[in-house]
């Protein structure tokens, strides 16, 4: 396979790192381009050995997949810039939040188009990715795309409209967990721990809990840790009193709604 990444930000880098690290793709099978940041392209070339798209952009015509990995506001300009170079067998895969398949096809025509929402854990092969595709994506192309995305983590096929929820949970989710981890570290420091010890304990707690979540029901795990009138019950009560579940719901819904807004802005 050959892939051209149009856009060279953190998401593109995470996916490139995952593909190469998992040996799903060779560096020479991946090419990168962006609108103006040559230094960024040089960095990716030096760091991972990927190709920089040449001036005549011949790589676009040879690509099996074109990855649109720029900000939503830049998608239209990018598509206009590459449209004439595309061939009929190419699948366009967008990871730009909110930009619909219809919007992309308005600029490129009846090409095979898919939308994916990975997260930056792709870098370590642990992304939670949602994907949806247009009617022009063949069964073989679907299989290849799922294989490609599976190499950087788990893949869930959804209807396109459900990608807003996927964005709210999985696409943005790592940042929520990082913020929660930051808050736990600060609470540990406030209760007498050193910063180093608090970080060590929080990292291991997250690591162990994440492993347990793969094995058993979430609610059952919580109940098993929570002894009546014990320390965990006291801590959870503070979360209940502050309506933690509503806060989390608002967090996810706000991200999902922003995804919907972005889609309307670029229709």
């Amino acid at each position: 396979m050959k892939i051209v990444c149009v856009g060279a930000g953190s998401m593109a880098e995470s996916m490139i790192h995952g593909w190469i690290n998992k040996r799903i793709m060779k560096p020479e099978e991946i090419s990168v381009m962006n609108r103006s940041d040559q230094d960024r392209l040089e960095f990716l070339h030096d760091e991972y050995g990927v190709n920089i798209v040449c001036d005549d952009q011949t790589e676009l015509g040879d690509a099996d997949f074109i990855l649109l990995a720029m900000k939503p506001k830049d998608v239209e300009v990018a598509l206009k810039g590459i449209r004439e170079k595309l061939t009929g067998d190419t699948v366009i895969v967008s990871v730009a939040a909110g930009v619909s398949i219809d919007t992309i096809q308005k600029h490129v025509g009846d090409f095979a188009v898919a939308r994916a929402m990975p997260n930056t854990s792709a870098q370590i092969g642990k992304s939670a990715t949602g994907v949806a595709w247009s009617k022009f994506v063949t069964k073989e192309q679907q299989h290849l795309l799922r294989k490609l995305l599976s190499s950087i983590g788990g893949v869930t096929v959804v209807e396109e409209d459900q990608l807003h929820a996927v964005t709210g949970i999985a696409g943005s989710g790592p940042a929520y967990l990082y913020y929660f981890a930051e808050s736990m570290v600060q609470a540990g420091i406030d209760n007498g721990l050193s910063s180093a010890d608090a970080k060590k304990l929080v990292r291991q707690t997250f690591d162990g809990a994440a492993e347990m979540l793969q094995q058993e029901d979430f609610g059952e795990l919580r109940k098993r840790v929570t002894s009546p009138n014990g320390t965990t019950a006291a801590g959870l009560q503070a979360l209940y009193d502050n309506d933690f579940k509503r806060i989390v719901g608002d967090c996810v819904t706000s991200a999902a709604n922003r995804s919907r807004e972005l889609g309307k802005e670029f229709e």
Side-chain angles (χ1 to χ4, degrees):
M1 282 189 295
K2 293 183 179 180
I3 293 179
V4 175
C5 298
V6 185
S10 60
M11 181 55 69
E13 182 178 359
S14 293
M15 297 176 79
I16 290 168
H17 185 284
W19 292 328
I20 294 174
N21 191 50
K22 292 286 185 177
R23 299 185 179 179
I24 296 300
M25 299 195 71
K26 299 175 182 177
E28 59 266 29
E29 296 172 327
I30 303 171
S31 299
V32 293
M33 60 182 289
N34 61 18
R35 188 166 56 181
S36 59
D37 191 347
Q38 185 65 26
D39 288 343
R40 176 65 176 168
L41 299 180
E42 294 288 352
F43 167 78
L44 293 174
H45 170 72
D46 293 342
E47 185 74 12
Y48 301 103
V50 299
N51 303 309
I52 298 174
V53 172
C54 59
D55 291 341
D56 60 10
Q57 299 183 344
T58 54
E59 293 89 347
L60 292 167
D62 296 331
D64 297 291
F65 293 94
I66 303 287
L67 180 70
L68 302 180
M70 71 289 294
K71 294 178 180 178
K73 66 181 181 63
D74 296 325
V75 169
E76 181 176 354
V77 172
L79 289 173
K80 288 179 179 178
I82 68 174
R83 171 66 183 88
E84 299 304 318
K85 304 289 185 179
L86 303 180
T87 58
D89 293 332
T90 301
V91 181
I92 299 171
V93 183
S94 172
V95 297
V99 181
S100 71
I101 290 172
D102 283 347
T103 296
I104 295 169
Q105 290 188 319
K106 181 173 69 175
H107 295 289
V108 299
D110 294 340
F111 271 84
V113 177
R115 286 180 59 196
M117 181 47 62
N119 61 38
T120 51
S121 298
Q123 184 170 341
I124 58 169
K126 296 287 187 178
S127 175
T129 303
V131 63
W133 35 60
S134 73
K135 63 182 180 180
F136 299 109
V137 181
T138 67
K139 293 294 184 182
E140 181 181 0
Q141 289 170 332
Q142 291 176 19
H143 173 74
L144 287 173
L145 180 55
R146 289 187 69 164
K147 181 179 179 180
L148 195 63
L149 295 174
S150 294
S151 71
I152 57 170
V155 179
T156 302
V157 180
V158 297
E159 296 297 322
E160 184 180 11
D161 189 59
Q162 294 176 307
L163 283 173
H164 301 300
V166 172
T167 299
I169 293 174
S172 301
Y176 315 152
L177 296 177
Y178 301 152
Y179 185 57
F180 191 58
E182 287 180 77
S183 301
M184 287 186 69
V185 168
Q186 186 58 55
I189 294 170
D190 292 344
N191 280 274
L193 290 172
S194 69
S195 176
D197 285 346
K199 288 178 181 178
K200 179 180 178 181
L201 289 164
V202 169
R203 285 193 177 103
Q204 186 57 49
T205 299
F206 268 64
D207 186 48
E211 186 70 26
M212 295 291 287
L213 286 171
Q214 298 297 326
Q215 302 175 20
E216 299 185 52
D217 177 77
F218 302 170
E220 288 301 316
L221 287 169
R222 172 180 53 79
K223 291 175 184 177
R224 192 181 310 158
V225 180
T226 311
S227 302
N229 298 316
T231 57
T232 305
L236 285 172
Q237 190 60 53
L239 296 180
Y240 301 151
D241 291 345
N242 286 279
D243 208 355
F244 183 71
K245 188 174 288 188
R246 179 193 58 77
I247 293 171
V248 173
D250 287 348
C251 173
V252 171
T253 300
S254 293
N257 286 342
R258 180 56 183 151
S259 176
R260 293 185 179 94
E261 290 170 2
L262 288 170
K264 292 178 179 177
E265 288 177 14
F266 302 106
E267 287 179 350

